[in-house]
Amino acid sequence: MKSYKESGVDIEEGNRAVQKIKNIVKSTFNENVLSNIGLFGGFYKIDLNKYSEPVLVSSTDGVGTKVLVACEMGKFDSIGKDIVNHCVNDILTSGAEPLFFLDYIGIGKLKSENIESIISGMAEACRENECSLIGGEMAEMPDVYDYGKFDIVGTIVGIVEKSDIIINKVKRGDILVGLPSNGLHTNGYTLARKVLLKKFKLNQYIDELGSTLGEELLKIHRSYYKVLKEILKRPSLHGISHITGGGILGNTKRIIPEGRELKVKWDEWEWPTIFKLIQSVGGISEEEMRNVFNLGIGMILIYDRNHMDELLGYLKAIGEKALIVGEII
């Protein structure tokens, strides 16, 4: 073996990928981005005139084994959107608005066209969430990832006025308002795949779903930024939980102060079909389904019960379906 390429790492293909994504990445830049891609770090200027006490909020996450569905389906742009939206939702729970995003792609065999598709999805999601994609890393590692397999990690940085941070505000009597998910989002895929792929193929059309199984499983993780950005500073908003791994209880308990509990009204909404299918095919208990999946609720707002009319009126006006799913006791 005489070359890096023969050992499994193709530098030229990596360079081709960079050239393909340059203009895509630049499409997310705004006046605060001071650097071009290709440097060792990204530069982002903060307008301090907009804040008295600005606080940076950051989060890092991945999309889990959903990438295996993308690989088998040969569709990669939606995975790029997933990781951006997931990270944006995480910092929204603190009241922060996104500033910039960075990505990491570890892959067994780099194909520039697949990288281009992933980054195109990321860039589209960044534009939709009004943030910039200012840097990233591609690592071709055939000894770590099998041929055709890859992983994605994203990091988001946002900003919030210190006085507007949504923390330690939850009180007894607050109402839990659920915002609908768009399917599994990016959690529970290891269980879902093991259950469903024993009976169905990804390209198999399933009448109950109205689509192929693969299309259903690749539905994009919703971003709630446009829904929430106008209400993040409302004093009546006491908490936000992003319903990811751990379900409604596991995630919402994270923001509940000691001495308070959740009372979830599980019968107030109907599970989307994909969750019913997973439970029936896998023979999974109700408790396990609640612990693993979002069950159709992607974000929960904890709101002052005395100001519910204003919240529900706003959500209705923007066409967002809201469900009352419980309260704080």
Side-chain angles (χ1 to χ4, degrees), residues 253-282:
K253 283 180 178 179
R254 297 162 64 177
I255 60 172
I256 303 301
E258 189 174 347
R260 299 285 179 262
E261 293 183 8
L262 296 168
K263 182 180 179 182
V264 178
K265 300 177 181 179
W266 296 102
D267 296 330
E268 288 297 311
W269 77 97
E270 184 177 356
W271 297 0
T273 302
I274 183 63
F275 299 108
K276 296 177 184 178
L277 191 64
I278 292 169
Q279 184 181 38
S280 63
V281 172

Side-chain angles (χ1 to χ4, degrees), residues 168-198:
N168 297 327
K169 295 182 178 180
V170 176
K171 63 182 183 180
R172 185 177 64 182
D174 285 345
I175 301 299
L176 306 181
V177 180
L179 303 181
S181 69
N182 190 24
L184 272 68
H185 281 181
T186 53
N187 296 98
Y189 275 80
T190 298
L191 178 57
R193 287 174 44 256
K194 290 185 183 300
V195 166
L196 297 174
L197 294 182
K198 286 183 178 180

Side-chain angles (χ1 to χ4, degrees), residues 1 15 25-26 59 64 71 91 95 134 137 172 175 186 189-190 201 233 235 266 276 278-279 290 296 302-303 307 319:
M1 191 170 295
N15 290 334
V25 172
K26 286 181 180 179
S59 182
C71 286
I91 64 168
I134 67 169
E137 164 70 358
R172 185 177 64 182
I175 301 299
T186 53
Y189 275 80
T190 298
K201 301 292 185 182
K233 296 180 182 180
W266 296 102
K276 296 177 184 178
I278 292 169
Q279 184 181 38
R290 292 176 181 177
I302 303 179
Y303 214 81
H307 297 276

Side-chain angles (χ1 to χ4, degrees), residues 9-21 110-112 115 138 140:
V9 180
D10 190 340
I11 293 176
E12 292 181 359
E13 185 67 6
N15 290 334
R16 280 191 288 272
V18 171
Q19 291 303 315
K20 285 186 175 183
I21 67 175
L110 195 152
K111 294 184 178 180
S112 59
I115 297 296
M138 294 179 292
E140 189 173 25

Side-chain angles (χ1 to χ4, degrees), residues 13-111:
E13 185 67 6
N15 290 334
R16 280 191 288 272
V18 171
Q19 291 303 315
K20 285 186 175 183
I21 67 175
K22 271 188 174 182
N23 289 332
I24 297 171
V25 172
K26 286 181 180 179
S27 71
T28 71
F29 288 4
N30 57 34
E31 67 276 6
N32 297 314
V33 179
L34 305 182
S35 57
N36 205 336
I37 69 169
L39 300 179
F40 291 98
F43 299 85
Y44 193 93
K45 179 182 66 174
I46 298 173
D47 183 1
L48 296 178
N49 294 322
K50 294 173 61 177
Y51 305 91
S52 299
E53 292 184 277
V55 175
L56 296 179
V57 181
S58 60
S59 182
T60 296
D61 220 312
V63 296
T65 56
K66 191 173 184 178
V67 296
L68 297 177
V69 181
C71 286
E72 292 187 49
M73 293 291 290
K75 179 174 170 53
F76 301 99
D77 61 321
S78 60
I79 289 289
K81 296 177 185 178
D82 284 329
I83 187 59
V84 174
N85 291 347
H86 185 130
C87 289
V88 168
N89 289 342
D90 278 349
I91 64 168
L92 282 176
T93 64
S94 306
E97 297 185 2
L99 294 176
F100 59 86
F101 183 83
L102 303 103
D103 70 273
Y104 167 83
I105 302 173
I107 196 165
K109 178 63 176 176
L110 195 152
K111 294 184 178 180

